[in-house]
Amino acid sequence: WRLRERPEWDERYDEVVAFKQTHGNTLVPMTAIAEGNDEYCMLARWVNTQRVQYRLLQEGKRSFLTDDRIEKLDSIGF
């Protein structure tokens, strides 16, 4: 099986880079989801998913995070 490239991953990555430039970190508040904050709701979900997938990888479980994606996230201090 090959992972198909998902353009939305790159789009969300670009959003988290912009968020960091504005806010100085990649800690997109999860409250954005509960509050229905359209500006950060999808980004907060994406950030949470990346962190969950990274944890799975660290536990030796299946994860969709590739080495390339991990490098990109590490490069911004994610």
Side-chain angles (χ1 to χ4, degrees):
W1 292 75
R2 247 181 107 195
L3 275 179
R4 71 187 161 112
E5 284 302 311
R6 305 190 82 178
E8 61 267 17
W9 193 95
D10 289 321
E11 290 169 12
R12 295 284 181 238
Y13 173 79
D14 291 342
E15 288 177 27
V16 82
V17 168
F19 183 92
K20 182 175 182 179
Q21 290 172 344
T22 301
H23 300 281
N25 60 56
T26 61
L27 303 173
V28 182
M30 290 299 291
T31 56
I33 295 170
E35 295 169 356
N37 180 331
D38 290 341
E39 184 178 5
Y40 295 125
C41 184
M42 294 302 293
L43 184 58
R45 289 179 195 267
W46 183 87
V47 164
N48 185 58
T49 299
Q50 304 317 299
R51 292 193 169 118
V52 168
Q53 290 298 311
Y54 186 75
R55 255 191 314 270
L56 290 173
L57 189 66
Q58 294 300 304
E59 295 169 359
K61 298 177 182 174
R62 288 185 84 183
S63 170
F64 65 73
L65 278 180
T66 62
D67 290 340
D68 181 54
R69 288 178 175 177
I70 292 169
E71 284 179 33
K72 286 178 94 169
L73 293 170
D74 284 346
S75 75
I76 61 166
F78 190 79

